[in-house]
Amino acid sequence: MTPPYTRPTTSPKDMTELETGGRDPERASVAERTDGAQARVIAPAKGRTIALRDLNAYYGDTHAVRGVSLDYAANQVTAMIGPSGCGKSTLVRCINRMHEEVPGARAEGQVTLDDIDIYGDGVDPTSVRRVVGMVFQKPNPFPTMSIFDNVAAGIRLSGTRGVDLRERVEWALACAGLWDEVRDRLGAPGVGLSGGQQQRLCIARTIAVEPEVILMDEPCSALDPIATLRIEDLIQDLKERYTIVIVTHNMQQAARVADTTAFMLNGELIEHAPTEKIFSQPADTRTEEYVTGKFG
Amino acid sequence: MSAGLPAVAGRRRNADRAARAGLLVLTLVALVPLVLIVFELLSKGLGAWSWTFFTTDPTGRFLGDPGGIRSAIIGSIVMVAIATAIAVPIGIGVALYLVEYGKSSRFADVVRYFVDVMTGVPSVVFGLFVYIVLVVSQIGGTFAGWKGSVALALLMLPVVTRSGEVVLNLVPDGLREAALALGAPRWRVVARIVLPTALPGLTTGSLLAVARAAGETAPLLFTVAFVNGLSLDPSARMNSLPLQIFNDVGQAQDRLVQRAWGAALTLVVLILLVTLLARFIQKRSRLA
Ligand SMILES: Nc1ncnc2c1ncn2[C@@H]1O[C@H](COP(=O)(O)OP(=O)(O)OP(=O)(O)O)[C@@H](O)[C@H]1O
Ligand SMILES: [Mg+2]
């Protein structure tokens, strides 16, 4: 099932390249947004390709992800589906090295961004996380911070210098479709927003550090249908600039937003194919049983 | 005997009433000593209060004007402030270690155990410990205000650590994860996210430790010793409210006993203010 894989002969690139590589420093331009607002685009023109090779993840003795090999195409939305506990969150957290933050957890195998092995020797997890952003299930704005500070938090926390914070915050909020709603109260606490607004604030916070990949772990499961639709629209906008991996329990959502869909079961990858194919004529009977609601 | 539903309900209602009445009586019994203490304090202490009571030092003279309690108030404030400056950074540091780094490691468990043991150590033991280590050994002279502060700090340390640990554990893990996922190094997550979020709770815990230490007599008895005059120099002997009360109560003169009541009321009011401040800050906390 797993294609034979050989390590790239190029040595792991240094992380400054991971953080700036492939970007055109002169790419700032003004783009027309669908909602009519003008936003200055400072984002990379391109997301990264992610390749997982024989990835295994453990919590102590629990083997949560079993030998997964999977490619995420750049500037595509990939949905991860599968029954509860099958390892979707664990897999996604291996891509930004958040998995190892859990005490006793470890990951083996290879994850490459373009051709840089993020588990390579001497790679600092924090620099990986600046390139691979993450949006969590529950909106979690920093409670002590204003809306502005929440969006600026990533830049400040990662010690990045030489950024025009005001401009960056405005841009990130506009990208997240939140600017018009909060422009008059940037100093108000972030936790004072509605759940859906908070989640868009968290998305703005994630893109403010200019990642190239965005991981979303059930980003809409705490939201009502209208807030969910807004986020789904947003994902469609964002994929022009980012590679997006979204974990979802909602099959309609996967069908609406994802270019390709991967089905996992018991820690293994069962099938990864274009979304229409997964939902109409899956290759594996287990996938079919799951998407037609026979189990899970 | 065809009791049916209403009879059962009636019996249950009676049992409920009896239980409530019983609990109310117990509560009232518990309140009796508290009310008596407050009443005694107010009736005897208020009489001692006057402008000169707060603005003059004890004279120590057997006859004539015994003086007020200024040096005791200021000495207490100075010593408790020094103790706070020692105990709060260390206590919060230990709590941060336990919550953010040690977690459930063996060493962290050992530290937790010792902190618990320290909580239960009687305050007189801390006084004796400092007496042996710092006073008998004549480090920096004999009795000194800062030695009392060390004893008070030892007393405060477990309180600050334990409450700090509880508060830091209340900071949702989701916030730490969100900050880490933004590419923040661990120490920045602690400094910029965890500490500010926990700050009101940490302040409350520290203030409660302050309130606890301010009323302690035993740690000061063998470490600071009693002195009448005003001193702002912690390397010398200092007066303090608890020792002032301790000294005056044992005197045969009514005027001195009266001063003890006045000093006791002052001490209680000061501690009450600190406690109220702690509660006020706690209320404004964004954590549960
Ligand atoms: N912190 C943890 N400690 C130990 N085991 C864990 C931990 N987190 C997850 N697991 C285990 O790892 C396996 C995969 O969990 P994971 O959270 O990745 O599933 P999931 O597919 O995201 O499920 P869900 O759809 O419910 O979010 C499960 O068996 C789970 O019990
Ligand atoms: Mg999950």
Side-chain angles (χ1 to χ4, degrees), chain A residues 93 98 101 103 126 129-130 134 136 140-145 154 156-159 205, chain B residues 103 174-186 188-189 192-193 196-197 286:
Chain A
R93 289 164 58 90
M98 283 297 287
E101 293 294 335
T126 61
R129 293 173 195 150
R130 281 169 217 170
M134 185 160 200
F136 296 83
N140 51 5
F142 298 126
T144 55
M145 294 189 191
R156 291 179 177 149
L157 280 168
S158 59
R205 178 175 72 186
Chain B
K103 297 193 173 114
L175 295 183
R176 293 183 181 89
E177 292 217 310
L180 285 172
L182 286 169
R186 185 117 217 156
R188 265 219 189 90
V189 176
R192 304 287 282 269
I193 304 295
T197 309
R286 291 184 190 82

Side-chain angles (χ1 to χ4, degrees), chain A residues 57-60 62-65 81-93 99 102-103 105 137 217-218 247-249 264 267:
Chain A
Y58 306 81
Y59 295 97
T62 312
H63 194 172
V65 172
I81 60 170
S84 191
C86 70
K88 308 180 292 293
S89 299
T90 310
L91 177 104
V92 161
R93 289 164 58 90
H99 177 63
V102 177
Q137 177 171 359
D217 193 351
E218 303 184 44
V247 175
T248 179
H249 270 141
M264 286 182 72

Side-chain angles (χ1 to χ4, degrees), chain B residues 32-229:
Chain B
V32 166
L34 186 67
V35 170
L36 283 180
I37 288 173
V38 172
F39 181 76
E40 282 283 301
L41 257 181
L42 284 174
S43 66
K44 296 203 166 141
L46 271 181
W49 278 19
S50 69
W51 178 249
T52 50
F53 183 72
F54 294 110
T55 52
T56 58
D57 298 329
T59 57
R61 262 180 268 134
F62 192 67
L63 297 168
D65 176 21
I69 59 165
R70 183 180 67 162
S71 65
I73 296 176
I74 290 176
S76 266
I77 291 174
V78 170
M79 282 192 284
V80 171
I82 295 173
T84 308
I86 300 171
V88 167
I90 298 178
I92 291 180
V94 174
L96 275 177
Y97 168 76
L98 290 176
V99 174
E100 302 294 328
Y101 298 96
K103 297 193 173 114
S104 51
S105 69
R106 246 206 134 79
F107 179 67
D109 282 341
V110 172
V111 172
R112 264 187 211 102
Y113 178 73
F114 276 105
V115 170
D116 280 347
V117 171
M118 259 177 98
T119 316
V121 171
S123 58
V124 66
V125 175
F126 290 121
L128 276 176
F129 173 73
V130 172
Y131 176 71
I132 302 288
V133 173
L134 293 179
V135 179
V136 172
S137 65
Q138 305 258 333
I139 294 174
T142 54
F143 299 105
W146 68 269
K147 293 177 185 176
S149 296
V150 170
L152 291 180
L154 288 174
L155 191 91
M156 292 169 69
L157 197 57
V159 182
V160 176
T161 303
R162 259 314 193 192
S163 66
E165 205 190 343
V166 170
V167 171
L168 290 172
N169 271 320
L170 279 179
V171 175
D173 272 337
L175 295 183
R176 293 183 181 89
E177 292 217 310
L180 285 172
L182 286 169
R186 185 117 217 156
W187 66 268
R188 265 219 189 90
V189 176
V190 171
R192 304 287 282 269
I193 304 295
V194 177
L195 276 179
T197 309
L199 188 63
L202 294 174
T203 314
T204 300
S206 302
L207 284 175
L208 291 178
V210 166
R212 161 105 202 269
E216 283 293 343
T217 320
L220 304 180
L221 265 179
F222 331 105
T223 55
V224 193
F226 179 72
V227 67
N228 278 317

